[in-house]
Amino acid sequence: MNFDFLFNPKSVAVVGVSSDPTKLGSVVFTNMISAGYSGKLFPVNPKYTDIFKHKCYAKVSDIPEDVDVVCIVVPPKFVNDVLEDAGKKKVQGAVIITAGFGETGEEGKKLEEQILDTAAKYNIRILGPNCLGSMDTKNKVNLSFAATNAIEGNIAFLSQSGAFCTAMLDMSLDSNLGFSHLVSIGNKSDLNENDFVTEWLADDNVSVIGAYLEDVHSGHDLAKIYNESKTKKPLVIFKPGESEESQLAIASHTGSLAGSIEVFETAMQQSGITVAKDIDSMFNYLQGFAWSKLPKGKRVGLLTNAGGPGIIATDFIIKNNFELNVLSDDIQKQLKENLPENSNIHNPVDVIGDADSERYKSALEIMVQDENLDAIIVILTPQLVTEVEETAKIVINNFKVSDKPIIPVFLGGRYVSYALKRFYDNKVPAYKDISSAIETLAALYNYSAHLKNNEESRRSVKISNLLGKGKYRSEIQSLVTDSDKALDENLVAKLAEEVGIVIPKQKLTEHSEEAVAFAQDLYPVVIKAPTGAIVHKTDQKALYLNINSNYDLVESYIKLYSLVSLQSKHPKILVQEQLKADEEIFVGVKRDGSSKVYDSSEGGFGHLIAFGKGGIYTEVYKDIVYSLVPASIDEIFKKLKSTKVYKIIEGARGKDKLAEDKLLDTIESVQKLVLLYPEISSMDINPLMLTKDKAVSVDIKIFIKL
Amino acid sequence: MNFDFLFNPKSVAVVGVSSDPTKLGSVVFTNMISAGYSGKLFPVNPKYTDIFKHKCYAKVSDIPEDVDVVCIVVPPKFVNDVLEDAGKKKVQGAVIITAGFGETGEEGKKLEEQILDTAAKYNIRILGPNCLGSMDTKNKVNLSFAATNAIEGNIAFLSQSGAFCTAMLDMSLDSNLGFSHLVSIGNKSDLNENDFVTEWLADDNVSVIGAYLEDVHSGHDLAKIYNESKTKKPLVIFKPGESEESQLAIASHTGSLAGSIEVFETAMQQSGITVAKDIDSMFNYLQGFAWSKLPKGKRVGLLTNAGGPGIIATDFIIKNNFELNVLSDDIQKQLKENLPENSNIHNPVDVIGDADSERYKSALEIMVQDENLDAIIVILTPQLVTEVEETAKIVINNFKVSDKPIIPVFLGGRYVSYALKRFYDNKVPAYKDISSAIETLAALYNYSAHLKNNEESRRSVKISNLLGKGKYRSEIQSLVTDSDKALDENLVAKLAEEVGIVIPKQKLTEHSEEAVAFAQDLYPVVIKAPTGAIVHKTDQKALYLNINSNYDLVESYIKLYSLVSLQSKHPKILVQEQLKADEEIFVGVKRDGSSKVYDSSEGGFGHLIAFGKGGIYTEVYKDIVYSLVPASIDEIFKKLKSTKVYKIIEGARGKDKLAEDKLLDTIESVQKLVLLYPEISSMDINPLMLTKDKAVSVDIKIFIKL
């Protein structure tokens, strides 16, 4: 869609401007003026004939010229009338600053629906309601009541919280961080994050995108938009809501449901979207992406004038999965020649406390030549002879010409603050603390690694090949309703067979002779009542384990048969081979969104597949990893290796390696299954019995739902 | 000891002052002058007759008056001569700024030993070498080459890194944070952290103690000093060295070994010592302890002018184990009456974006009355009508009179910086980011909770009752050497019996008849070769499991007997009942320091007991918790409950509760054992078989070492 009406309108009407310059409407109007807006600007308010030296109109339809966008700052009950009137004027969009809609409860929701109806009628796109407004710095548009204009730059930022925008904006002033766009999406009744991300991915003026979200509009779409975009740009998202308590707070704040944090984080990680963990990290990551080169690898060099901070930085480097690389021989030799004797020429390179800026210069210029380093962190503590500002200049000069990121960390307060200012003026991301610097570098590295690994998207192709194409689709469709329903054992077995999930040898028998014949080559076996026959299997002795002989089998069979007979006219008994696992594994799936999640722009990320330690320790250790379906086998394998139980799978303490290939096949089959049948709302295999040559899914439960 | 020579000397000589004011010695000298030192100050340098308007002496012994302390800033090879000369003059202490000693390698170590010998000869206490020096702000002593004087205050801080001191000092200038003492302990060849902590715990002028340590001199002593002190003060320690890489960096920086992070963290937590995780958190914690009241409980109230930051704060509150408390009915009622309709009067209390300072005032003054709240966090985002500075004043006024901590978080950059300055000027700990505020509050709460729970120390009493008083002490002492040695099964069984550790029924037999007779009431049994008889039990079939009948027993016995006969003249076979655990538990002990760790001031924290999930998952899940010996049974139980496997112990999913009392008894017995025999260097019980009525230690290994 064309966003010119919002970001580059030729004419703007602000409804609700008053003669009091401190009122919201007036602030929006004067913000447009102070931003230097060069288009036509019309104040609207029936009480005035002119205002702030502009002719004032009673209503939008009184304006004699075309109006591209109208900004509405009137009490909620009048908003719809303004919109109706603006509709007649054929405005393309409305920025509704006014609060008091969906976020306030049922009545507000109705009011919001009403304005959406009006907007639809006149084909008007809506930003908000309940928002701070929108800025485009290049086009000098500030349709917001923010207290200041943003600095011009290449970061496009959107936020579901106006205050988050305001805080970022205030932080950006001292750090010289520039924005191309700053959009508060408020209740996102019409325009939402996906619209803006689509627009900004295509806008050459934008090089980094940031978003603060309290709920995700349509996760599957967001991931798809980002993954399928031809232009790759860093996208940083911060979404609170880890705790139940904050999810409640979100519900009362925006009226939206936050959704599971696992689905969100998995989707982000799989798509290469950076997740920020608080306001500071959002700010740091945007600044890092906007200003710094990306590290091509994990090998970090540390340059410091003090041992202690070098040690502290080392801990953070390792914690963030970087490597403190050994410097090349030649580089070490050069350092030795150029630094005083008691310097440390290994990594961290310690130019020691009496280092002046020249010494930093020698060391840094040598280190940037090292092909074994992908990034350099320069730590400075303000000691007696330290030349803080001169050293900053040296870092800046090297930052500009080097092809690897050089990140300064100047520890302290007063004596380093001017150096930081100088860094920011030169667009060098600089930090006062070690952890922020290294976490930011990690964000840059992860994005860079994702770019390398994911030159093409695997997701969309596979989905369309499989989606809804299962053999038993009609059977499933006849069963599915809008509440969760369990499939019976027969259907589960058929589905398992269709995709190649191995289940134990089993037979539904009517006589003990039949059972004995079947069990001959299988002992030990278990016998159980079929699904649905008796509710709680173990409670009522409807499950017999460890049957090792014909004698035992017949004895248990008779007991179980008589029990099942009580509830069934044609009693059947399930005989199943009993398997002994070297390890019990869990594989599960949960769908985020409805069964239509892959087709439409409804909410949800689709199916999330989970796997890891199963059996009685599933809940105890939660040693489970997640992938969004469909994930490539490489990705599944990488995730599996990150579980702790993988130590056992790969053969711990001299034991046999287990059949990890069979396990991966099963996970792949499960992915296939849920795409063949998107009606599957959840599915559990627990345990999957893994031995050195088999992966058998003993207990499979499948639920379907529309 | 008396620290007056360092913190309140009557006369000071600085050796190595030159006419160049930028040289280290000159800086120390002029720092003394600029600090306003009122005692006698003597420059020493044979090249000058007077310097900076002071008569200059060729050597310390030339000074015609008494000298309390000498500060030495001359090249390393001359330090010992200066000390010799100063010794004749009967100085009480020496601050050795000079570097180039133990930290540089073997030669430097020798030089350091030499100065220690000289110091011992003349009874001189040494600070350093390789340090920044020392400050006492109250007595106006600045015997350091720091670039500035510290602000006067009540925080005593020591650091093993001069640069860490410098960074803290620079940070403190802008935040108005005052120090009573600032000591750089350098190589701590003589005076170390324990000396200063002892001194500062007793000094009424000190209310908070902070320390940056790269290695801990004598952990057991440090814990003892802190636990047994009559005056309780917060002690905050930051010790890097989590990663192997940083431990290497520490070794090359200070020549010291860092020791296990588990021992350190356990000891700190058990003693109620606060652990900082980086420079910023150290600074924040010190500031918080110095300025804020302590929260009496976990119930936090949030006051905000924006929903988004309220949600973000909620996540951090929950993550830090605080509770977002429901406000009292009466408080809610008052808030409802005093705030606009669309405010949120639940917790977080949201006074919404158009809140001026008066609205903050109403809300805050109501909230501080709530007896259901232990602390209040006031969040402000700088929005259009926000009165940043006025709101700050309101928080300050409430902070001063309230008995609960009130912590402001003013989000942003430029517009909130003056408010922060105002907070600092009024000694209100204030933050620009949510996580720092809540983590600091958590540090204050944990200290306050520890004070409440630990009104008397349990540690020292018990140790002296048991230490070295085991029945088999002489036997152990005859075996112990300076390398790890395993005890044999007989001795292990005797030790287990002495303290009441339950082991399986077992018998060392010489004939299969004897074995059969013993096994009658025990089946299933296992048989094994005794310890030492054969090296790898399972490899050579020296272990037979699942023996269920006399026939099986005799058959296996014969095979094993013939194997053992190959290596022993009087072969014996161990018959042991085979136990089936409902859960396998690990209990282990490792000693930090030597067997004398409890008697002397040698390094080490003593025995660390570890327990948690055992069996094959011990290493996989590392579901292990730690306590320093001796820990009270309450503490052990609390720790046990924090393991994940405790879910199984307490009876997961409707299963029986296991014998946790028996498990606790075993852990208690193990603690007793290592105190009876401090020679035990490590000990492993894995697995301990836990059933619903038993806790049997199946495999016990004990190692001893001097």
Side-chain angles (χ1 to χ4, degrees):
Chain A
M1 65 175 286
N2 187 334
F3 265 101
D4 276 352
F5 73 89
L6 186 65
F7 294 138
N8 197 14
K10 288 193 198 70
S11 57
V12 175
V14 181
V15 185
V17 187
S18 87
S19 63
D20 178 351
T22 68
K23 294 287 179 199
L24 286 197
S26 309
V27 173
V28 174
F29 192 82
T30 52
N31 270 351
M32 281 300 279
I33 296 171
S34 73
Y37 176 62
S38 59
K40 286 170 186 157
L41 193 57
F42 307 106
V44 177
N45 190 333
K47 288 190 203 145
Y48 304 93
T49 53
D50 62 77
I51 207 158
F52 303 132
K53 297 180 191 158
H54 283 68
K55 177 171 165 50
C56 188
Y57 298 89
K59 48 190 203 294
V60 176
S61 56
D62 288 349
I63 299 171
E65 300 183 54
D66 280 352
V67 175
D68 289 350
V69 67
V70 56
C71 182
I72 305 176
V73 201
V74 299
K77 58 184 172 183
F78 302 127
V79 170
N80 194 52
D81 295 343
V82 173
L83 211 56
E84 273 281 353
D85 177 58
K88 286 169 198 149
K89 190 74 198 163
K90 298 216 163 88
V91 305
Q92 298 166 54
V95 175
I96 307 180
I97 306 272
T98 309
F101 291 89
E103 79 282 9
T104 59
E106 278 313 310
E107 211 157 311
K109 265 183 202 143
K110 274 183 207 154
L111 225 50
E112 194 166 312
E113 276 160 26
Q114 195 187 19
I115 60 168
L116 284 177
D117 288 345
T118 308
K121 188 164 76 180
Y122 295 106
N123 213 7
I124 305 174
R125 301 308 302 256
I126 305 284
L127 178 68
N130 184 27
C131 74
L132 179 78
S134 160
M135 288 186 208
D136 180 308
T137 54
K138 192 174 155 232
N139 295 314
K140 303 190 189 309
V141 176
N142 183 351
L143 262 180
S144 84
F145 65 94
T148 176
N149 284 301
I151 297 166
E152 194 176 334
N154 53 6
I155 298 169
F157 185 75
L158 68 87
S159 172
Q160 209 170 332
S161 154
F164 199 102
C165 268
T166 322
M168 291 284 289
L169 190 57
D170 197 21
M171 289 164 84
S172 73
L173 298 180
D174 278 347
S175 305
N176 191 36
L177 193 66
F179 291 90
S180 58
H181 306 79
L182 207 62
V183 176
S184 160
I185 55 177
N187 293 3
K188 52 183 185 183
S189 65
D190 173 18
L191 292 171
N192 60 51
E193 63 270 24
N194 290 354
D195 299 307
F196 290 104
V197 169
T198 308
E199 167 71 8
W200 290 336
L201 281 167
D203 183 344
D204 291 341
N205 199 36
V206 173
S207 66
V208 187
I209 305 171
Y212 169 79
L213 296 176
E214 287 173 7
D215 68 305
V216 175
H217 173 71
S218 165
H220 179 251
D221 269 17
L222 175 62
K224 205 171 151 188
I225 291 164
Y226 188 68
N227 287 323
E228 294 179 6
S229 163
K230 277 178 207 139
T231 338
K232 298 295 174 196
K233 293 176 189 178
L235 169 58
V236 184
I237 298 184
F238 173 38
K239 179 178 171 294
E242 246 177 90
S243 57
E244 272 175 51
E245 289 80 353
S246 65
Q247 298 211 358
L248 279 177
I250 290 171
S252 84
H253 180 222
T254 63
S256 58
L257 284 173
S260 134
I261 196 80
E262 284 88 10
V263 178
F264 173 74
E265 287 187 346
T266 305
M268 296 302 103
Q269 176 265 323
Q270 224 157 312
S271 300
I273 297 172
T274 306
V275 174
K277 64 187 171 58
D278 55 20
I279 303 182
D280 278 2
S281 75
M282 168 60 87
F283 191 85
N284 289 337
Y285 294 173
L286 292 179
Q287 191 184 48
F289 279 118
W291 291 351
S292 175
K293 278 126 193 162
L294 298 177
K296 296 200 179 83
K298 293 181 160 192
R299 304 165 305 173
V300 176
L302 271 176
L303 172 58
T304 175
N305 69 342
I311 291 162
I312 299 167
T314 300
D315 270 340
F316 282 106
I317 282 178
I318 302 306
K319 203 185 280 174
N320 283 280
N321 296 314
F322 282 114
E323 292 157 16
L324 195 73
N325 209 53
V326 175
L327 304 181
S328 313
D329 290 345
D330 171 52
I331 299 295
Q332 291 197 36
K333 194 168 151 256
Q334 285 185 56
L335 288 170
K336 204 179 172 86
E337 282 162 10
N338 285 278
L339 296 178
E341 201 192 345
N342 44 359
S343 307
N344 189 347
I345 57 155
H346 304 290
N347 202 1
V349 173
D350 187 350
V351 291
I352 65 175
D354 61 348
D356 55 11
S357 57
E358 273 306 307
R359 200 186 294 165
Y360 263 104
K361 184 164 186 277
S362 315
L364 183 54
E365 286 177 357
I366 294 166
M367 286 175 79
V368 292
Q369 306 303 325
D370 193 342
E371 288 179 0
N372 286 345
L373 294 181
D374 300 305
I376 297 170
I377 293 174
V378 182
I379 297 175
L380 175 144
T381 55
Q383 302 189 45
L384 187 65
V385 300
T386 312
E387 296 167 347
V388 179
E389 212 166 350
E390 283 309 304
T391 308
K393 285 186 202 166
I394 283 155
V395 174
I396 291 166
N397 292 337
N398 278 281
F399 177 91
K400 284 180 180 164
V401 297
S402 169
D403 62 347
K404 54 187 75 156
I406 299 176
I407 310 281
V409 182
F410 278 31
L411 295 165
R414 186 171 293 176
Y415 292 163
V416 299
S417 57
Y418 289 97
L420 288 175
K421 184 116 196 54
R422 189 177 279 273
F423 282 124
Y424 300 147
D425 286 347
N426 283 279
K427 298 195 192 305
V428 177
Y431 304 90
K432 266 176 158 177
D433 68 296
I434 294 168
S435 59
S436 297
I438 294 173
E439 281 164 15
T440 304
L441 192 64
L444 303 194
Y445 170 72
N446 290 335
Y447 173 70
S448 139
H450 182 83
L451 276 191
K452 220 193 286 178
N453 296 335
N454 283 266
E455 253 134 46
E456 54 194 51
S457 160
R458 287 163 279 101
R459 289 176 55 86
S460 50
V461 190
K462 278 197 190 168
I463 292 182
S464 55
N465 285 348
L466 295 170
L467 197 65
K469 295 185 179 159
K471 261 201 269 184
Y472 307 98
R473 185 75 192 280
S474 59
E475 196 170 344
I476 295 286
Q477 283 184 322
S478 71
L479 292 169
V480 70
T481 66
D482 55 9
S483 66
D484 274 312
K485 182 182 287 180
L487 300 186
D488 70 29
E489 268 152 9
N490 274 330
L491 189 47
V492 168
K494 284 195 283 181
L495 296 179
E497 205 211 336
E498 183 182 5
V499 294
I501 297 172
V502 180
I503 59 174
K505 285 177 192 148
Q506 60 180 45
K507 188 171 181 138
L508 216 49
T509 62
E510 296 183 35
H511 312 286
S512 61
E513 293 81 8
E514 204 181 351
V516 168
F518 177 72
Q520 280 322 295
D521 306 324
L522 293 179
Y523 287 122
V525 298
V526 302
I527 60 170
K528 23 178 151 167
T531 300
I534 295 169
V535 186
H536 296 290
K537 285 179 191 169
T538 43
D539 286 1
Q540 304 188 41
K541 286 252 179 214
L543 171 68
Y544 289 82
L545 294 163
N546 296 318
I547 298 173
N548 255 313
S549 64
N550 292 351
Y551 178 83
D552 281 357
L553 176 56
V554 173
E555 191 180 41
S556 316
Y557 199 96
I558 292 167
K559 287 184 201 158
L560 184 54
Y561 193 86
S562 62
L563 182 67
V564 176
S565 306
L566 295 176
Q567 300 181 28
S568 170
K569 272 192 181 171
H570 304 287
K572 291 184 179 179
I573 301 294
L574 190 73
V575 186
Q576 202 176 53
E577 66 175 323
Q578 178 172 329
L579 296 155
K580 197 182 165 327
D582 290 307
E583 187 57 68
E584 297 185 348
I585 300 292
F586 168 82
V587 179
V589 178
K590 217 161 188 166
R591 192 182 66 208
D592 186 57
S594 80
S595 62
K596 301 245 179 287
V597 64
Y598 300 105
D599 304 319
S600 64
S601 289
E602 279 187 41
F605 282 99
H607 287 95
L608 184 75
I609 188 163
F611 45 97
K613 177 79 185 108
I616 63 162
Y617 297 111
T618 315
E619 286 301 310
V620 173
Y621 289 114
K622 296 191 172 91
D623 179 20
I624 302 287
V625 289
Y626 301 91
S627 279
L628 269 194
V629 174
S632 71
I633 202 74
D634 284 359
E635 197 172 303
I636 296 283
F637 191 32
K638 209 170 117 192
K639 289 269 171 74
L640 181 65
K641 283 197 230 173
S642 75
T643 62
K644 289 175 179 159
V645 73
Y646 188 72
K647 271 194 198 157
I648 306 274
I649 297 176
E650 66 172 348
R653 304 200 297 185
K655 289 203 177 165
D656 286 326
K657 183 174 174 155
L658 306 183
E660 76 184 13
D661 51 339
K662 300 278 168 55
L663 172 58
L664 291 173
D665 287 348
T666 307
I667 296 171
E668 187 73 344
S669 300
V670 170
Q671 291 204 83
K672 198 174 158 191
L673 187 65
V674 299
L675 287 175
L676 289 174
Y677 303 96
E679 294 82 4
I680 295 178
S681 56
S682 73
M683 171 169 174
D684 257 25
I685 304 177
N686 199 7
L688 175 155
M689 299 292 207
L690 192 62
T691 66
K692 56 187 167 154
D693 49 15
K694 275 190 279 191
V696 185
S697 299
V698 171
D699 203 351
I700 308 181
K701 289 196 192 73
I702 299 179
F703 292 86
I704 55 171
K705 187 182 170 185
L706 276 173
Chain B
M1 65 174 286
N2 186 333
F3 265 101
D4 275 353
F5 71 89
L6 185 64
F7 294 138
N8 196 14
K10 287 195 199 68
S11 56
V12 174
V14 182
V15 184
V17 186
S18 87
S19 63
D20 177 352
T22 68
K23 294 287 179 198
L24 287 199
S26 307
V27 174
V28 174
F29 193 82
T30 53
N31 271 350
M32 282 297 281
I33 295 171
S34 74
Y37 177 62
S38 59
K40 285 170 186 157
L41 192 57
F42 307 106
V44 177
N45 188 333
K47 290 190 201 143
Y48 304 93
T49 53
D50 62 76
I51 208 158
F52 303 132
K53 296 180 192 160
H54 282 68
K55 178 172 164 52
C56 188
Y57 298 90
K59 47 190 204 293
V60 176
S61 57
D62 289 348
I63 299 169
E65 299 184 54
D66 281 350
V67 175
D68 287 350
V69 67
V70 57
C71 182
I72 304 176
V73 202
V74 299
K77 58 185 172 181
F78 302 126
V79 170
N80 193 54
D81 294 344
V82 173
L83 210 56
E84 273 282 350
D85 176 61
K88 286 170 198 148
K89 189 75 197 164
K90 298 216 162 89
V91 305
Q92 298 165 52
V95 175
I96 306 180
I97 305 270
T98 309
F101 291 88
E103 80 279 10
T104 58
E106 278 313 310
E107 210 157 312
K109 265 185 200 141
K110 272 183 207 154
L111 224 50
E112 193 166 313
E113 275 160 27
Q114 194 188 20
I115 62 169
L116 284 178
D117 287 345
T118 308
K121 187 164 80 182
Y122 295 107
N123 213 7
I124 304 173
R125 300 309 301 257
I126 304 285
L127 178 66
N130 183 27
C131 74
L132 180 78
S134 160
M135 288 186 209
D136 181 307
T137 54
K138 192 173 155 233
N139 295 314
K140 304 188 190 308
V141 176
N142 182 353
L143 261 179
S144 83
F145 64 94
T148 176
N149 284 300
I151 296 165
E152 195 175 334
N154 53 8
I155 298 169
F157 185 75
L158 67 87
S159 173
Q160 209 168 332
S161 152
F164 198 102
C165 268
T166 321
M168 291 283 288
L169 189 57
D170 197 21
M171 289 164 83
S172 72
L173 298 180
D174 277 346
S175 305
N176 191 35
L177 193 66
F179 291 90
S180 57
H181 307 79
L182 207 62
V183 176
S184 160
I185 55 178
N187 293 3
K188 52 183 185 184
S189 65
D190 173 19
L191 293 171
N192 60 51
E193 64 269 24
N194 291 353
D195 299 308
F196 290 104
V197 170
T198 308
E199 167 71 9
W200 290 336
L201 282 167
D203 183 344
D204 290 341
N205 197 38
V206 173
S207 67
V208 186
I209 305 171
Y212 169 79
L213 296 177
E214 287 172 8
D215 68 305
V216 175
H217 172 72
S218 165
H220 179 252
D221 268 19
L222 174 63
K224 204 170 153 188
I225 290 164
Y226 189 68
N227 287 322
E228 293 178 7
S229 164
K230 276 177 208 140
T231 337
K232 298 294 174 196
K233 293 176 190 178
L235 169 58
V236 184
I237 298 184
F238 173 37
K239 179 178 169 295
E242 245 177 90
S243 56
E244 272 176 49
E245 288 82 352
S246 65
Q247 297 213 358
L248 279 177
I250 290 171
S252 84
H253 181 222
T254 63
S256 59
L257 284 173
S260 133
I261 196 79
E262 284 88 10
V263 179
F264 173 72
E265 288 187 344
T266 305
M268 296 303 102
Q269 176 267 323
Q270 224 158 311
S271 300
I273 297 172
T274 305
V275 174
K277 64 186 170 58
D278 55 21
I279 302 182
D280 278 2
S281 76
M282 167 60 87
F283 191 85
N284 289 336
Y285 295 172
L286 292 179
Q287 192 184 48
F289 279 118
W291 290 351
S292 175
K293 279 126 193 161
L294 297 177
K296 295 200 181 83
K298 292 181 162 194
R299 303 165 306 171
V300 176
L302 271 177
L303 172 57
T304 175
N305 68 343
I311 291 162
I312 299 168
T314 301
D315 270 341
F316 282 106
I317 283 178
I318 302 305
K319 201 185 280 176
N320 284 279
N321 296 315
F322 282 114
E323 293 158 15
L324 195 72
N325 209 54
V326 175
L327 304 181
S328 315
D329 290 345
D330 173 51
I331 299 295
Q332 291 196 37
K333 193 166 152 259
Q334 286 186 56
L335 286 171
K336 205 179 171 86
E337 281 162 11
N338 285 278
L339 295 179
E341 201 192 345
N342 45 358
S343 307
N344 189 348
I345 57 157
H346 304 290
N347 203 1
V349 173
D350 187 350
V351 290
I352 63 173
D354 61 347
D356 57 10
S357 58
E358 273 305 308
R359 200 185 297 164
Y360 264 104
K361 184 166 185 278
S362 315
L364 183 55
E365 286 179 355
I366 294 167
M367 287 175 78
V368 293
Q369 307 301 327
D370 194 340
E371 287 178 2
N372 286 346
L373 293 181
D374 300 305
I376 296 170
I377 292 174
V378 182
I379 296 176
L380 175 144
T381 55
Q383 302 188 46
L384 188 66
V385 301
T386 312
E387 296 167 345
V388 179
E389 211 166 351
E390 283 310 304
T391 308
K393 284 185 201 165
I394 284 155
V395 174
I396 291 165
N397 293 337
N398 277 282
F399 177 92
K400 284 180 180 163
V401 298
S402 169
D403 61 348
K404 53 187 75 156
I406 298 176
I407 310 282
V409 182
F410 278 31
L411 294 165
R414 186 172 293 175
Y415 291 163
V416 300
S417 57
Y418 289 97
L420 288 174
K421 181 113 197 56
R422 189 176 280 274
F423 282 124
Y424 300 146
D425 286 347
N426 283 279
K427 297 196 193 303
V428 176
Y431 304 90
K432 268 178 159 174
D433 69 296
I434 295 168
S435 58
S436 297
I438 295 173
E439 281 164 15
T440 304
L441 193 64
L444 303 193
Y445 170 73
N446 289 335
Y447 173 71
S448 140
H450 182 85
L451 277 190
K452 219 192 284 178
N453 295 336
N454 282 266
E455 250 131 50
E456 55 193 50
S457 159
R458 286 162 281 102
R459 289 176 54 87
S460 51
V461 190
K462 279 198 189 166
I463 292 181
S464 56
N465 286 349
L466 294 169
L467 198 64
K469 293 182 179 162
K471 262 201 268 184
Y472 307 98
R473 185 75 192 276
S474 58
E475 196 169 343
I476 294 287
Q477 285 185 321
S478 71
L479 292 169
V480 70
T481 65
D482 54 10
S483 66
D484 273 314
K485 182 182 286 180
L487 299 186
D488 72 30
E489 268 151 8
N490 274 329
L491 189 47
V492 167
K494 285 195 283 182
L495 296 179
E497 205 213 334
E498 183 182 6
V499 294
I501 297 171
V502 180
I503 58 174
K505 286 177 192 146
Q506 61 180 42
K507 189 172 179 131
L508 216 50
T509 61
E510 296 183 36
H511 313 287
S512 60
E513 292 81 8
E514 204 181 352
V516 168
F518 177 71
Q520 280 322 293
D521 306 325
L522 293 180
Y523 286 124
V525 297
V526 302
I527 60 169
K528 24 178 147 165
T531 299
I534 295 168
V535 186
H536 297 291
K537 284 180 192 166
T538 42
D539 286 0
Q540 305 189 39
K541 288 249 178 214
L543 170 68
Y544 289 82
L545 295 164
N546 297 318
I547 298 171
N548 255 316
S549 65
N550 291 350
Y551 178 83
D552 281 357
L553 176 56
V554 172
E555 192 181 42
S556 317
Y557 199 96
I558 291 168
K559 286 185 203 157
L560 185 54
Y561 193 87
S562 64
L563 183 68
V564 176
S565 306
L566 297 175
Q567 299 182 29
S568 169
K569 271 192 182 172
H570 304 289
K572 289 183 181 181
I573 301 293
L574 190 72
V575 186
Q576 203 177 52
E577 65 174 325
Q578 179 171 327
L579 296 156
K580 195 181 165 332
D582 289 307
E583 186 57 67
E584 297 185 347
I585 300 292
F586 167 83
V587 180
V589 179
K590 216 162 190 165
R591 193 181 65 207
D592 186 59
S594 81
S595 61
K596 302 245 179 288
V597 63
Y598 300 106
D599 305 317
S600 64
S601 290
E602 280 187 41
F605 282 99
H607 287 94
L608 183 76
I609 188 163
F611 45 99
K613 177 79 184 108
I616 63 160
Y617 296 111
T618 314
E619 286 301 311
V620 173
Y621 288 114
K622 297 191 172 90
D623 179 22
I624 302 287
V625 289
Y626 302 90
S627 280
L628 268 195
V629 174
S632 72
I633 202 75
D634 284 358
E635 197 172 301
I636 295 282
F637 191 32
K638 210 170 114 190
K639 288 268 173 75
L640 181 64
K641 282 196 233 174
S642 74
T643 62
K644 290 175 179 159
V645 74
Y646 187 72
K647 272 194 196 157
I648 305 274
I649 297 176
E650 67 173 345
R653 304 200 296 185
K655 291 201 177 169
D656 285 326
K657 183 174 172 156
L658 306 183
E660 77 184 13
D661 51 339
K662 300 277 167 59
L663 172 58
L664 293 172
D665 287 348
T666 307
I667 296 171
E668 188 74 343
S669 300
V670 170
Q671 291 205 85
K672 196 173 160 193
L673 187 65
V674 298
L675 287 174
L676 289 174
Y677 304 96
E679 293 84 2
I680 294 177
S681 56
S682 73
M683 171 169 174
D684 257 22
I685 304 178
N686 199 6
L688 177 152
M689 298 293 206
L690 192 62
T691 66
K692 56 186 170 161
D693 50 15
K694 275 189 277 191
V696 184
S697 299
V698 171
D699 202 351
I700 309 180
K701 290 195 193 73
I702 299 179
F703 292 86
I704 55 171
K705 186 182 171 184
L706 275 174

